[in-house]
Each structure stands twice: as C-alpha cells, then as structure tokens.
Amino acid sequence: MTNREIARKFNMLAKLKELHGENPFRTRAYSSAYIAIRKLAPVVMEMSYNDLIQIHGIGKTIADKIIELQQTGEISALNAYLDKTPEGIVEMLQIKGFGPKKVRTVWKDMGIETPGELLYACNENRLVEFKGFGQKTQESLQKQVAYFLDSQGKYLFGHIESEGLELKDILEKQLPGSTDLQFTGAFRRKMPVLNAIEMVSTAGISQLETALQAIDGSENRNGEWFYRDIRIIFHSSDPEVIGQWQFDHSASEKFLIFFREKYGLKSYGREMDYFEKNGLSFIPPEFRESDKAIAMAREGRLDELIGEKHIGGVIHAHSTYSDGSNTLLEMALAAIERGYQYLVISDHSKAAFYANGLSEERVLEQMQEIDQLNAEWDDFRIFKSIECDILNDGSLDYGDSFLDHFELVIASVHSNLKMSSEKANERILTAIANPHTRILGHPTGRLLLSRPGYPLDHRQIIDACAEHGVAIEINANPYRLDLDWTWIGYAIEKEVLLSINPDAHSVVGIDDIRYGVAAARKGGLTRKYCLNAKSREEFIAWMNNP
C-alpha cells in the first residue's frame, strides 16, 4: 500500500468523523495525518511505531492505526464509519469542493443519498431552499457533481502504472515461460486518463483468469477483474498475429486511418514489420496519435522526439521554505543523484498563504542559502526562482523592483479559479505581458478527474507567449499534465518553448518528470522546443536573453 493510498484512508476517516458530528479536534488530527503522510518520502508501511511518532502530524493515535494497517491491512475505526454510512454518501465526500457539513445537510435534511440524486436535485433547483445553499453554490455544485459522475471508473496513468508493472511481473512468473504477455491499448499508449490496465497474451483467457485468481489483491466483480481496485482487461491472441493485434490496438483511430490510407490494408505478423516494410522508423505507441508521427518516421526524425534522457534540469520544485517536504539541500542532492545539471527552485510567493508563501525577507534568506550551496559545486547549479501567483487582476505577486531579484519567474494562477473565459484570458494575458514572466505555469489549473480547468482560448494564450517570449509549462504531475498534450503541436508551430516541470514538492516528486515526458511525446515535442532539454550553459543563455 502506497503512502498516497494510506493518506486517502485517513482523509476519508477525517471526513466521516466530521460528517457524523464527531469531536472537531480529533477530526483535525486525522486531516493533519493525511497531509503529513502525503508528503513523506519513506514508505509508511515499512516504518516502526517509534519512527512514526517522531513525524509532525502523526501522534500516538494515528501511529496505532498505521501499525494496525501494517498488521491487518485494515483500519477498524474507518470500517466502523463506512458500515454506518450509505455508499452514495461516501461517494459524495469525494466530490471536489463538497465538504462533510454540506453532505450532511443533503443527506439528513433532504434525504439525498447518491451523487445521481444530488445532480437531479440541482437540476430541479431544490438546493437553494436550504441553509448554506444559494443559487451560485448550487450552480457550482451541479458542475462538480456532473464532472464527478463522468469521471467514475477512470484512472490516472501516473497512479496505476506501478500496479500494472507489478501485476505483469507476477503473472509472467505464474504463466508458462513461452507465454507472451504485453501491455496494450490506452495503457501502452500512456494515455493520461484511462479506464483499465489492458494486456494481451498468447495464453488463453481462462488461463489468464486462473493465474489472476491466485494473486493477492485481485477479485472478480460481476464478471470484471480488478487488481488493487483497478480494472483489468485481458485479450488473447495467437502467437502468429500478436504483432498485428498490437499495431491495431496501440494507436489512435486517426493514426490508423491515415496509416491504412497511406500504406494499404496489408497485415503483418510482427508489429515492427508495419514500419520497416513501409520504410518507416518504429513509432513508439505513445506517439501514435496523428499523421505527424508518420511524417517524422518517414523523414527519419524520430530521434528528435523528447525523451527522459534528454532532460537536463529540474524546473519548478518546492522546498520546506514553502510547502515542500524536503529542504533546499535535499532537493538539490536528489537532482544531482538523478544526473541533472541544474535545479530551478520555485517556492510559492507570499499571496499563497495557504502554502506558506514566502515573504520578501524569507525570499532573501533562501537566496542566501542558494549562494552558499552553489559555492560548493562546479558542475551543478540552483537557480533562484519563484512560482509567483497571478493575482485576480493579472498582476504578479510582489512589486516589480523585488521581482528583479529572481533569475526566473514562473507565473501561475492558484486562487479565484471560477472564471469566465473572458476573465481567465484577460487575467493570464496580462500576466504573460509582464516582462518578469518567463514561464506560464499549469495554464488551465486543471486537476485531472478532480477539477476541470478554467476556460481558456489556447490559441490566444499561445500566441501571446510567442509574442512575449514566454515558455509554457507542461506540468508533469499526473493530476495536471497541463498544458494538455493536444496543444503541443500548435505551440511548436508558433515556436513557443515548452518546459516539462515536475512541480515537485518532495524528492520523490522529481520523478514525475517521466509522466510529463510521456505526455510531451504524445504531442510530438522535440528537444529543440523543450526548455529543460537545454544544458546548464544553454539554459543560462536563455535566461539572460529574454
């Protein structure tokens, strides 16, 4: 069980306690545990009781429950609350922006027990009659519930990749040695959002299901298989045509239509033959989205496609100066250990008070530490940056004279997210035009499967970045992947640089770069247009030439 999974259990326990009117002090304790566990780098399931109680936010009560989880795989207190709470109410607690107090109101006062009933009530304009639910609240909730219902049964690739790799490894040990087992479908294409881990094998379906049945954490629910609560889809193929299967099921429909129109309907036993026999380089599955991939393969330019090995530095990372889990030194050493040449530390600006945003005094304190650390290295450098809040009127946090202190400013929206398209565009265009802005951070503010982004005219935003020499972030956090990969082609057309940034709040978060790279490859991002594919010297030159 991962730290994130454990944290979610304590978050749910906190919400259930508040829902049932329990002691607010204890409720806050579980909420604090949720935050603390999310930030931890050590594996909680491997920590001792004595180690656990040393962590800020984890007291003896929480530690006892973690030990119970280690020993039994359950938290009995959580189970007790789940047993007395309707399943639909538990689902409602997972809707973004819909807290336990409001859930209790719709449950106890309105008799609503499922998200579907809640959406119907919103559509019928019934919530406005109750205390705490005005017209605007109802309209906002209506959108959130609809989004929640539409997102059910879907997963983030970055959240289930490890389970997929783990399951494949276990199955390969159980199946005969001659069995071919491969990922396929959306999982193989590394789609940011997908509805299952999909595999194809030369084994029969019954053989695969028998093997799966013997694996801990797997279960059959009404004819569908799940592993650790993730849906699993198996396909069976004869050995002679598994390559054909993979070609047909590891690409978008648009790609396949164009390929067939260009090269005919002939089928091959080996997947590689579809490319080699038509004079093409092998196109990786994540790039099989449009005819652009075929054009690059035909021209022998696929080696220009960005890869993890090309990333020269970590741009956009947080430390304990704001809301990060690791110190500045720890973040730097982690970047060095991973072979990067530089780290752009970008803690939150002062307006982000909820994230311990930095006052001017603390910025200068951090810069002094950066100078001290940089003096110790010849082949690595920390750059002085800030993730600067874009305020409601589009201006940047801090005054212009203070912004001059930074080597690089990443401008991002974190507050007042409920905007019309006109307001969102005006706000961000103003920030882009600010001469201090060098990178536009997570442009739409979306959280995949949790929150849709504010509405933007992407072309207008990208055009403005081209005009003002502003790079655009591809936020590599699996929740964001923002800028969306579908806009990469237009950004390249306008010669706008894209930066694959982990937005790391811990040393482990640095590794999210890989998900940003996967998304960038889908959109055809090349090294030429990737900002942090630049070497340290090239990056310095870019910063010095706005």
Side-chain angles (χ1 to χ4, degrees), residues 10-19 21-34 57 59-62 65 77 81:
F10 282 103
N11 189 39
M12 179 54 70
L13 185 50
K15 290 181 177 181
L16 287 167
K17 279 180 168 290
E18 185 176 351
L19 176 76
E22 298 291 347
N23 185 310
F25 176 78
R26 293 199 173 187
T27 298
R28 285 194 295 272
Y30 290 105
S31 297
S32 298
Y34 161 68
K60 293 181 179 179
T61 301
I62 303 298
K65 287 177 170 53
Y81 279 104

Side-chain angles (χ1 to χ4, degrees), residues 429 432 440 460-472 494 496:
L429 288 171
I432 291 170
L440 175 63
Q460 190 178 14
I461 297 300
I462 292 171
D463 288 349
C465 287
E467 179 185 352
H468 294 283
V470 172
I472 300 177
K494 294 296 180 177
V496 171

